[in-house]
Amino acid sequence: MKEIKKQILKKIKEYDSIIILGHQRPDGDCIGSVLGLKDILNTSFPKKKVYAPANDSVSYLDFLESREKELQPEIYQESLVIVLDTATKERIDSKYYHLAKETIKIDHHLPVDDYGDINYVDVKAPATAEIIVDFLLTFKKQLKLTSKGAKALFTALITDTGRFRYSSVTSKTLEVGAYLLTYDVDFEKIYNNLYLKDLEVLKLEGYLNLNFKTTENGVAYFYIDKKIRNQYNISIEDAASLVNCLDSIKGSLIWVLFVEQEDGTIRARIRSRYVTISDVANNYRGGGHKQASGATLLEEKEITLILKELDMRLKEFKKENGGLM
Ligand SMILES: [Mn+2]
């Protein structure tokens, strides 16, 4: 690991122009890590040009620094591109990334696509932000961070760890979090930005709690189609965040929220305790982490199919592991 980190720092030093990219449909870890790394590079190498362009954004992260619009392709041609938190090249949020002189991938998703000239993937890290802060701490004498960057990285860390609650959290994660809080980070404000709910969302949450279903062996699920979403007047992102409503049901070690998209496809967010579900997501144009994955379904019929696979998975798991809830 140390060797690859050295290689990355060497590359960063070589370039005068560096572009940091994230993935489409960005989340807190994606945007926070991008802005955090941008802050580190700006602060440590003030002469370099560091860009963080984005085509896609999400409104609930507007409280962080905004990213610039897509760059001219010519800038890519002379730049080092660092892509964060993005497993496959199809998901990179730029149509010009391939023009880069060189590309570095830094990620924590299960590796399916080594699109970088350097690929630094640590699937044990619960958030890309942890990898970025670890990188900073490895080269403490050469790299710096400001409280603006610390705020972005802390936001990234808490979103991908569910506020340090997921099983992927390690002592390293807490160390990294503790380090970030040595900066002036107002985490009460961050929490308010991330976790206060609109009334509409809360009401849909109530509806979901009353009406979700479970499969024979306990997979909990709910389908938010356009009709329900319009009725409650909430955005696709807000709808998708409701997957967490289903995360604490005894016996339901797998839970899924389906959300119909504008184009009629259905995005599935799949989560679990103990059970590996990423391979099932892979069967439906998706992937992610062992216990937190996404998939894209082309029609409603596929809801039944993926639920059947997940139900089988849960049945086998319960047979082998009995008592675990
Ligand atoms: Mn992530």
Side-chain angles (χ1 to χ4, degrees), residues 121-137:
V121 177
D122 181 2
V123 294
K124 290 217 179 79
T128 297
E130 182 178 308
I131 305 176
I132 301 298
V133 179
D134 169 72
F135 181 74
L136 168 74
L137 293 173

PDB file of all heavy atoms in Angstrom, residues 121-137:
ATOM      1  N   VAL A 121      -7.186   0.724  -4.880  1.00  0.00           N
ATOM      2  CA  VAL A 121      -8.507   0.333  -4.400  1.00  0.00           C
ATOM      3  C   VAL A 121      -8.358  -0.381  -3.060  1.00  0.00           C
ATOM      4  O   VAL A 121      -7.616  -1.349  -2.948  1.00  0.00           O
ATOM      5  CB  VAL A 121      -9.215  -0.598  -5.413  1.00  0.00           C
ATOM      6  CG1 VAL A 121     -10.554  -1.061  -4.857  1.00  0.00           C
ATOM      7  CG2 VAL A 121      -9.414   0.114  -6.746  1.00  0.00           C
ATOM      8  N   ASP A 122      -9.031   0.117  -2.056  1.00  0.00           N
ATOM      9  CA  ASP A 122      -9.014  -0.512  -0.735  1.00  0.00           C
ATOM     10  C   ASP A 122     -10.454  -0.828  -0.335  1.00  0.00           C
ATOM     11  O   ASP A 122     -11.171   0.041   0.160  1.00  0.00           O
ATOM     12  CB  ASP A 122      -8.354   0.439   0.270  1.00  0.00           C
ATOM     13  CG  ASP A 122      -8.286  -0.171   1.664  1.00  0.00           C
ATOM     14  OD1 ASP A 122      -8.720  -1.337   1.824  1.00  0.00           O
ATOM     15  OD2 ASP A 122      -7.815   0.511   2.586  1.00  0.00           O
ATOM     16  N   VAL A 123     -10.864  -2.068  -0.572  1.00  0.00           N
ATOM     17  CA  VAL A 123     -12.270  -2.410  -0.315  1.00  0.00           C
ATOM     18  C   VAL A 123     -12.573  -2.473   1.179  1.00  0.00           C
ATOM     19  O   VAL A 123     -13.732  -2.492   1.583  1.00  0.00           O
ATOM     20  CB  VAL A 123     -12.688  -3.754  -0.974  1.00  0.00           C
ATOM     21  CG1 VAL A 123     -12.660  -3.650  -2.478  1.00  0.00           C
ATOM     22  CG2 VAL A 123     -11.832  -4.900  -0.498  1.00  0.00           C
ATOM     23  N   LYS A 124     -11.534  -2.467   2.013  1.00  0.00           N
ATOM     24  CA  LYS A 124     -11.776  -2.481   3.463  1.00  0.00           C
ATOM     25  C   LYS A 124     -12.127  -1.099   3.993  1.00  0.00           C
ATOM     26  O   LYS A 124     -12.674  -0.966   5.088  1.00  0.00           O
ATOM     27  CB  LYS A 124     -10.541  -3.018   4.180  1.00  0.00           C
ATOM     28  CG  LYS A 124     -10.317  -4.504   3.936  1.00  0.00           C
ATOM     29  CD  LYS A 124      -9.778  -5.171   5.204  1.00  0.00           C
ATOM     30  CE  LYS A 124      -9.566  -6.655   4.999  1.00  0.00           C
ATOM     31  NZ  LYS A 124      -8.316  -6.935   4.263  1.00  0.00           N
ATOM     32  N   ALA A 125     -11.837  -0.073   3.222  1.00  0.00           N
ATOM     33  CA  ALA A 125     -12.165   1.285   3.674  1.00  0.00           C
ATOM     34  C   ALA A 125     -13.661   1.513   3.494  1.00  0.00           C
ATOM     35  O   ALA A 125     -14.189   1.323   2.408  1.00  0.00           O
ATOM     36  CB  ALA A 125     -11.383   2.316   2.873  1.00  0.00           C
ATOM     37  N   PRO A 126     -14.367   1.923   4.554  1.00  0.00           N
ATOM     38  CA  PRO A 126     -15.814   2.136   4.418  1.00  0.00           C
ATOM     39  C   PRO A 126     -16.151   3.359   3.574  1.00  0.00           C
ATOM     40  O   PRO A 126     -17.267   3.471   3.079  1.00  0.00           O
ATOM     41  CB  PRO A 126     -16.285   2.327   5.852  1.00  0.00           C
ATOM     42  CG  PRO A 126     -15.082   2.761   6.603  1.00  0.00           C
ATOM     43  CD  PRO A 126     -13.903   2.120   5.931  1.00  0.00           C
ATOM     44  N   ALA A 127     -15.194   4.264   3.409  1.00  0.00           N
ATOM     45  CA  ALA A 127     -15.447   5.468   2.612  1.00  0.00           C
ATOM     46  C   ALA A 127     -14.172   5.839   1.863  1.00  0.00           C
ATOM     47  O   ALA A 127     -13.062   5.609   2.359  1.00  0.00           O
ATOM     48  CB  ALA A 127     -15.860   6.634   3.518  1.00  0.00           C
ATOM     49  N   THR A 128     -14.341   6.407   0.686  1.00  0.00           N
ATOM     50  CA  THR A 128     -13.171   6.908  -0.048  1.00  0.00           C
ATOM     51  C   THR A 128     -12.457   7.970   0.775  1.00  0.00           C
ATOM     52  O   THR A 128     -11.233   8.089   0.751  1.00  0.00           O
ATOM     53  CB  THR A 128     -13.607   7.471  -1.414  1.00  0.00           C
ATOM     54  OG1 THR A 128     -14.171   6.399  -2.171  1.00  0.00           O
ATOM     55  CG2 THR A 128     -12.427   8.030  -2.190  1.00  0.00           C
ATOM     56  N   ALA A 129     -13.245   8.738   1.541  1.00  0.00           N
ATOM     57  CA  ALA A 129     -12.654   9.781   2.384  1.00  0.00           C
ATOM     58  C   ALA A 129     -11.595   9.217   3.329  1.00  0.00           C
ATOM     59  O   ALA A 129     -10.585   9.869   3.601  1.00  0.00           O
ATOM     60  CB  ALA A 129     -13.758  10.469   3.196  1.00  0.00           C
ATOM     61  N   GLU A 130     -11.811   7.998   3.821  1.00  0.00           N
ATOM     62  CA  GLU A 130     -10.812   7.396   4.720  1.00  0.00           C
ATOM     63  C   GLU A 130      -9.485   7.201   3.986  1.00  0.00           C
ATOM     64  O   GLU A 130      -8.405   7.429   4.542  1.00  0.00           O
ATOM     65  CB  GLU A 130     -11.330   6.062   5.279  1.00  0.00           C
ATOM     66  CG  GLU A 130     -10.352   5.432   6.251  1.00  0.00           C
ATOM     67  CD  GLU A 130     -10.861   4.126   6.855  1.00  0.00           C
ATOM     68  OE1 GLU A 130     -11.987   4.096   7.378  1.00  0.00           O
ATOM     69  OE2 GLU A 130     -10.113   3.121   6.793  1.00  0.00           O
ATOM     70  N   ILE A 131      -9.558   6.795   2.725  1.00  0.00           N
ATOM     71  CA  ILE A 131      -8.346   6.587   1.925  1.00  0.00           C
ATOM     72  C   ILE A 131      -7.625   7.925   1.696  1.00  0.00           C
ATOM     73  O   ILE A 131      -6.405   8.012   1.765  1.00  0.00           O
ATOM     74  CB  ILE A 131      -8.691   5.937   0.565  1.00  0.00           C
ATOM     75  CG1 ILE A 131      -9.484   4.644   0.781  1.00  0.00           C
ATOM     76  CG2 ILE A 131      -7.432   5.678  -0.247  1.00  0.00           C
ATOM     77  CD1 ILE A 131      -9.960   3.976  -0.502  1.00  0.00           C
ATOM     78  N   ILE A 132      -8.417   8.967   1.454  1.00  0.00           N
ATOM     79  CA  ILE A 132      -7.826  10.288   1.211  1.00  0.00           C
ATOM     80  C   ILE A 132      -7.130  10.815   2.471  1.00  0.00           C
ATOM     81  O   ILE A 132      -6.010  11.312   2.419  1.00  0.00           O
ATOM     82  CB  ILE A 132      -8.917  11.306   0.762  1.00  0.00           C
ATOM     83  CG1 ILE A 132      -9.612  10.834  -0.526  1.00  0.00           C
ATOM     84  CG2 ILE A 132      -8.327  12.703   0.565  1.00  0.00           C
ATOM     85  CD1 ILE A 132      -8.717  10.692  -1.721  1.00  0.00           C
ATOM     86  N   VAL A 133      -7.800  10.673   3.616  1.00  0.00           N
ATOM     87  CA  VAL A 133      -7.192  11.173   4.859  1.00  0.00           C
ATOM     88  C   VAL A 133      -5.965  10.334   5.217  1.00  0.00           C
ATOM     89  O   VAL A 133      -4.942  10.870   5.659  1.00  0.00           O
ATOM     90  CB  VAL A 133      -8.212  11.187   6.021  1.00  0.00           C
ATOM     91  CG1 VAL A 133      -7.546  11.684   7.301  1.00  0.00           C
ATOM     92  CG2 VAL A 133      -9.398  12.084   5.684  1.00  0.00           C
ATOM     93  N   ASP A 134      -6.053   9.031   5.005  1.00  0.00           N
ATOM     94  CA  ASP A 134      -4.890   8.173   5.244  1.00  0.00           C
ATOM     95  C   ASP A 134      -3.707   8.600   4.370  1.00  0.00           C
ATOM     96  O   ASP A 134      -2.559   8.635   4.818  1.00  0.00           O
ATOM     97  CB  ASP A 134      -5.272   6.712   4.962  1.00  0.00           C
ATOM     98  CG  ASP A 134      -4.051   5.809   4.927  1.00  0.00           C
ATOM     99  OD1 ASP A 134      -3.489   5.554   6.011  1.00  0.00           O
ATOM    100  OD2 ASP A 134      -3.632   5.408   3.820  1.00  0.00           O
ATOM    101  N   PHE A 135      -4.005   8.947   3.123  1.00  0.00           N
ATOM    102  CA  PHE A 135      -2.973   9.431   2.197  1.00  0.00           C
ATOM    103  C   PHE A 135      -2.335  10.717   2.750  1.00  0.00           C
ATOM    104  O   PHE A 135      -1.110  10.865   2.791  1.00  0.00           O
ATOM    105  CB  PHE A 135      -3.628   9.692   0.829  1.00  0.00           C
ATOM    106  CG  PHE A 135      -2.691  10.163  -0.243  1.00  0.00           C
ATOM    107  CD1 PHE A 135      -1.788   9.284  -0.843  1.00  0.00           C
ATOM    108  CD2 PHE A 135      -2.713  11.486  -0.671  1.00  0.00           C
ATOM    109  CE1 PHE A 135      -0.924   9.716  -1.840  1.00  0.00           C
ATOM    110  CE2 PHE A 135      -1.854  11.925  -1.672  1.00  0.00           C
ATOM    111  CZ  PHE A 135      -0.960  11.038  -2.258  1.00  0.00           C
ATOM    112  N   LEU A 136      -3.174  11.606   3.215  1.00  0.00           N
ATOM    113  CA  LEU A 136      -2.701  12.856   3.814  1.00  0.00           C
ATOM    114  C   LEU A 136      -1.792  12.577   5.016  1.00  0.00           C
ATOM    115  O   LEU A 136      -0.711  13.156   5.154  1.00  0.00           O
ATOM    116  CB  LEU A 136      -3.919  13.685   4.244  1.00  0.00           C
ATOM    117  CG  LEU A 136      -3.698  14.891   5.137  1.00  0.00           C
ATOM    118  CD1 LEU A 136      -3.080  16.038   4.354  1.00  0.00           C
ATOM    119  CD2 LEU A 136      -5.011  15.347   5.762  1.00  0.00           C
ATOM    120  N   LEU A 137      -2.222  11.660   5.871  1.00  0.00           N
ATOM    121  CA  LEU A 137      -1.459  11.384   7.083  1.00  0.00           C
ATOM    122  C   LEU A 137      -0.148  10.657   6.777  1.00  0.00           C
ATOM    123  O   LEU A 137       0.840  10.825   7.484  1.00  0.00           O
ATOM    124  CB  LEU A 137      -2.311  10.566   8.073  1.00  0.00           C
ATOM    125  CG  LEU A 137      -3.523  11.328   8.646  1.00  0.00           C
ATOM    126  CD1 LEU A 137      -4.406  10.405   9.472  1.00  0.00           C
ATOM    127  CD2 LEU A 137      -3.062  12.509   9.490  1.00  0.00           C
TER     128      LEU A 137
END
